Amino acid sequence: MELEKTLRMNRLFSFYRPLLTKKQQEYMQLYYGDDYSLGEIADAFSVSRQAVYDNIKRSETILTDYEKKLHLVEDFEKKQKAVEDLSDYVKENYNEDSQLFDYIQAISLETMREE
């Protein structure tokens, strides 16, 4: 469960990072991206562990709310799945058609840029 939450927060953070304050970005990066403890972050910023905890919890709520309203992560994951399904279908049914593979590659690259 904790790993799932970490992966989810990292995904949300990668999409909505610019919408957080600088301090929120720093705390989230250290906590979720670099696996710092609350105490390590508190020491680095000369604040209490409670202040760090509150900031991270507030940031998590903000990121979750952005996703509920904007659906950027959900839409990206749907597109990624559709490209994977298309690629599998082409490999199965049109394995000799290099042009189709080129189109799928172009779509895949465009989808990755959205992230």
Side-chain angles (χ1 to χ4, degrees), residues 25-67:
Q25 289 179 28
E26 291 170 336
Y27 285 6
M28 291 293 286
Q29 178 59 48
L30 291 171
Y31 189 72
Y32 282 109
D34 300 336
D35 202 28
Y36 277 44
S37 70
L38 296 175
E40 290 171 319
I41 298 169
D43 289 344
F45 287 88
S46 300
V47 296
S48 69
R49 288 178 78 250
Q50 186 64 44
V52 173
Y53 176 83
D54 290 345
N55 186 298
I56 289 171
K57 288 301 168 193
R58 191 168 38 256
S59 299
E60 290 172 355
T61 300
I62 290 168
L63 293 174
T64 302
D65 287 346
Y66 284 142
E67 178 59 15

Side-chain angles (χ1 to χ4, degrees), residues 11-26:
R11 179 56 66 105
L12 291 174
F13 186 57
S14 71
F15 275 82
Y16 300 112
R17 177 184 191 134
L19 302 176
L20 297 176
T21 67
K22 184 179 179 200
K23 185 166 283 191
Q24 288 170 328
Q25 289 179 28
E26 291 170 336

